[in-house]
Amino acid sequence: MPANQIAIALSKGRIFEQTLPLLKAAGIVPRDDPESSRKLIIATSRPEVRLIIVRASDVPTYVQYGAADLGIAGLDVLLEHNGAGLYRPIDLDIARCRMMVAVPNGFDYEAAVRRGARLRVATKYIQTAREHFAAKGMHVDLIKLYGSMELAPLTGLSDAIVDLVSSGNTLKANNLKAVEEIFAISSRLIVNRAALKLRHAQVQPMLDAFAAAVVKG
Ligand code: ATP
Ligand code: MG
């Protein structure tokens, strides 16, 4: 990558959509829409800035290794990714939701906790779930899934799930209820530490523009 090029890693879908106004505030308008074009590298109105479209959970990896200078990723993803080399400066306050424990409607979670039941919990967020239940002093068997966590209790794979919830409609549609909030989630702007130092003159104004746009928004 030429020394003056800046790459921003982000995922398509809700994060891309909700990042557009923030990019615009930094004078960055994408030349293509990743939903319709199949391009994975998208040029922008600023010739030195390009967007790299990756899976949400791959964003920290690109930034950690410096393949992208900046990235936008959910706190859920960042907490599962235990990589060094990331600077996490700005809560963008987008893609907001909550990390929750959910169980079938008829299941008395509180009673299960009180009697020290050993629960099976299916989740994409193994690290987060492990820490949460350990802090509660609960013994759980964690089952790693990559999507559609709601199916697990319905099919007998698990007693509970740990998943992201926003409206709660998906839980409701599948006869599940949220019983515990683990934390509030939003997306963060992350920066490669070396890029922040070595390309400070380029990166810092971008961070400032994002920060200003969030405060104003
Ligand atoms: P994929 O859907 O391709 O398997 P993903 O689920 O990681 O990947 P998205 O569904 O686009 O990708 O989610 C990206 C990020 O958006 C998540 O990491 C999370 O921070 C946030 N997010 C996920 N679900 C919601 C939701 N229902 N409401 C608001 N934000 C959400
Ligand atoms: Mg998803």
Side-chain angles (χ1 to χ4, degrees), residues 121-132:
V121 180
T123 186
K124 185 165 149 182
Y125 304 101
I126 293 285
Q127 198 65 29
T128 296
R130 181 179 292 125
E131 281 169 26
H132 173 70

Side-chain angles (χ1 to χ4, degrees), residues 36-213:
S36 50
S37 97
R38 303 206 160 202
K39 288 185 184 157
L40 297 176
I41 297 179
I42 296 188
T44 74
S45 52
R46 284 174 59 172
E48 79 284 14
V49 179
R50 54 194 193 147
L51 307 180
I52 299 183
I53 307 299
V54 300
R55 272 301 279 275
S57 48
D58 290 334
V59 167
T61 306
Y62 275 80
V63 177
Q64 178 186 357
Y65 287 96
D69 302 289
L70 308 176
I72 295 162
L75 182 60
D76 52 316
V77 164
L78 296 175
L79 291 173
E80 289 293 307
H81 177 94
N82 28 35
L86 292 178
Y87 175 61
R88 198 187 304 174
I90 302 174
D91 182 352
L92 298 176
D93 205 24
I94 59 170
R96 285 170 59 186
C97 52
R98 292 174 299 157
M99 182 75 74
M100 312 232 21
V101 180
V103 298
N105 279 330
F107 186 89
D108 190 344
Y109 177 72
E110 293 306 328
V113 172
R114 275 198 305 275
R115 69 168 189 272
R118 186 173 187 121
L119 298 183
R120 290 212 293 181
V121 180
T123 186
K124 185 165 149 182
Y125 304 101
I126 293 285
Q127 198 65 29
T128 296
R130 181 179 292 125
E131 281 169 26
H132 173 70
F133 292 111
K136 284 175 67 82
M138 281 174 71
H139 291 286
V140 294
D141 294 310
L142 296 175
I143 301 173
K144 169 79 181 181
L145 288 178
Y146 291 88
S148 301
M149 266 77 84
E150 300 83 10
L151 257 180
L154 304 181
T155 55
L157 179 63
S158 73
D159 304 300
I161 60 173
V162 166
D163 197 7
L164 298 177
V165 178
S166 47
S167 67
N169 286 339
T170 307
L171 290 182
K172 206 177 283 174
N174 290 292
N175 298 313
L176 301 172
K177 59 179 179 184
V179 287
E180 206 160 61
E181 173 163 341
I182 303 182
F183 25 61
I185 300 289
S186 58
S187 289
R188 315 287 158 125
L189 182 69
I190 54 173
V191 186
N192 176 272
R193 279 191 187 278
L196 185 61
K197 258 193 231 155
L198 301 174
R199 297 145 106 177
H200 192 263
Q202 274 186 294
V203 171
Q204 190 60 50
M206 230 177 249
L207 300 187
D208 295 342
F210 275 109

